[in-house]
Amino acid sequence: MRQKSITIDKIGHSAPIPLACRVGPLLATSGIMGRDATTGEMPPDAAGQAANCFRNLALVLAEAGMDLGDVVRFTIYVKREEDRGAINPPWLEAYPDPSKRPARHVQLMDLRGAVLVQLEVLAIAKEAL
């Protein structure tokens, strides 16, 4: 099979769903949440969750042999309109150069439980597996 499913303990889903799937140079993620990768705990605030989302994404990408520079598209979901501002600090830390930022769309969504921020990405590696 040419697919490679990506899973990481403590930040994965409770359902039998991988965090991402890579086929050749293409990687698509499932919803990446803001659980702490060390403890598995979910921060109570959107800023903490957003920061963890980006850290968790970096872990997923590394497991797939990629990095943040391979991401071409973000879809970021926020539970509340007021949580939009929590996205920009980790976004700017990950992508400080405005000429090297992926496309991004933020959408309001009724996320489950304590989840306030979630992201999905599409990434393309320089080489196929």
Side-chain angles (χ1 to χ4, degrees):
M1 193 179 273
R2 51 190 206 130
Q3 292 174 308
K4 178 182 180 187
S5 294
I6 308 298
T7 58
I8 298 175
D9 291 340
K10 300 210 190 225
I11 63 169
H13 303 280
S14 58
I17 301 167
L19 287 169
C21 180
R22 181 170 173 179
V23 176
L26 183 66
L27 177 112
T29 71
S30 300
I32 305 291
M33 292 180 279
R35 284 192 191 100
D36 183 285
T38 303
T39 66
E41 298 294 319
M42 183 73 76
D45 62 306
Q49 288 187 28
N52 282 348
C53 282
F54 279 82
R55 285 186 204 105
N56 293 343
L57 174 60
L59 293 172
V60 169
L61 290 165
E63 184 69 22
M66 302 168 83
D67 61 37
L68 289 168
D70 294 316
V71 177
V72 296
R73 172 89 163 107
F74 270 82
T75 303
I76 303 173
Y77 302 99
V78 293
K79 192 170 200 170
R80 306 173 304 207
E81 182 68 34
E82 60 266 25
D83 294 334
R84 283 176 170 267
I87 298 163
N88 285 333
W91 170 263
L92 293 172
E93 184 178 329
Y95 300 103
D97 183 345
S99 68
K100 295 183 179 177
R101 291 181 183 147
R104 180 180 112 175
H105 177 69
V106 179
Q107 183 174 335
L108 287 172
M109 179 181 254
D110 187 18
L111 299 168
R112 293 183 185 186
V115 178
L116 301 174
V117 180
Q118 187 176 67
L119 55 88
E120 294 178 359
V121 305
L122 180 63
I124 301 174
K126 294 166 203 69
E127 298 176 6
L129 285 177

